Amino acid sequence: NQTKKKATFIYTNVVPQFATFNSKSWENYETKLITWGTQNCAEVKGATNVRLFIVVGAIPSTVRGPSKQRYFGKKGFSDYKDPILYPVNVPSHMWTAACCTYSDKGTLRYRSTAFWRENNPGNAPCNRADVGYLTRWLSRWIAGGTVSFNLFPQTSQCNNIGNYIPLPWWRYLTQLT
């Protein structure tokens, strides 16, 4: 629907995703992230003051140079045509990092997980890793490893691999849904 496609060009917080990307494995991982937070944080026996932080991002297709650029309306990429040529970038990858904190008998505990996937049609599973690994991967992908950053600057323990609890594998997830 050309009208609906054009409507997304007026939002500032819209990330174009392929339909099969958003309605298959990515959707399953987002859904299971809620279950992960409940089981590993909110429902932990004795847990109080539970807080869950989720950071979601996209890597623009322009990061790796002109040969990888993807825009709606670009010849051969999408069927959307606009006379004004709004340059809406279709990201090359999407990623999510989550970290929860809770108090257990006066001790602050951390749990974290992360996943990402190339934004392309298809039903491939997401990549899973600890938050520290995702941060290093993003640094290499975006800046060739020259820039370092922290997805959870107020809770640096989220980067600790010892606090990593992975999401279940995607194929397993689809059997549950």
Side-chain angles (χ1 to χ4, degrees):
N1 181 312
Q2 296 297 322
T3 303
K4 289 181 180 179
K5 287 180 186 177
K6 188 171 183 175
T8 65
F9 285 55
I10 62 171
Y11 298 108
T12 58
N13 195 22
V14 172
V15 178
Q17 300 170 352
F18 290 98
T20 53
F21 170 90
N22 196 32
S23 65
K24 301 284 185 179
S25 62
W26 192 257
E27 178 184 35
N28 282 330
Y29 270 78
E30 288 180 323
T31 300
K32 295 306 173 187
L33 181 58
I34 296 166
T35 302
W36 176 93
T38 301
Q39 292 174 345
N40 294 292
C41 305
E43 293 181 349
V44 172
K45 186 176 179 175
T48 59
N49 195 25
V50 177
R51 299 185 312 166
L52 176 62
F53 305 94
I54 300 173
V55 181
V56 179
I59 300 175
S61 68
T62 54
V63 167
R64 292 288 179 149
S67 63
K68 299 287 187 181
Q69 292 180 11
R70 303 185 304 177
Y71 291 99
F72 277 113
K74 184 175 179 184
K75 186 175 180 178
F77 182 72
S78 75
D79 63 355
Y80 177 75
K81 304 290 184 267
D82 188 287
I84 302 173
L85 299 174
Y86 292 101
V88 174
N89 184 276
V90 178
S92 66
H93 291 77
M94 298 286 299
W95 57 267
T96 297
C99 183
C100 70
T101 63
Y102 62 89
S103 184
D104 180 16
K105 298 177 185 159
T107 302
L108 193 57
R109 307 276 183 202
Y110 299 86
R111 300 288 182 260
S112 60
T113 197
F115 59 94
W116 73 94
R117 183 176 181 278
E118 186 175 357
N119 181 19
N120 61 14
N123 205 15
C126 293
N127 298 290
R128 306 172 311 149
D130 63 277
V131 173
Y133 181 90
L134 174 64
T135 302
R136 291 186 303 277
W137 181 83
L138 288 170
S139 174
R140 284 191 310 271
W141 183 267
I142 295 170
T146 60
V147 175
S148 122
F149 53 91
N150 187 346
L151 295 174
F152 299 101
Q154 300 299 315
T155 52
S156 61
Q157 287 294 323
C158 296
N159 297 322
N160 186 330
I161 194 167
N163 297 321
Y164 169 57
I165 299 176
L167 291 168
W169 280 105
W170 175 77
R171 296 195 192 290
Y172 173 70
L173 296 174
T174 57
Q175 294 170 4
L176 296 177
T177 57

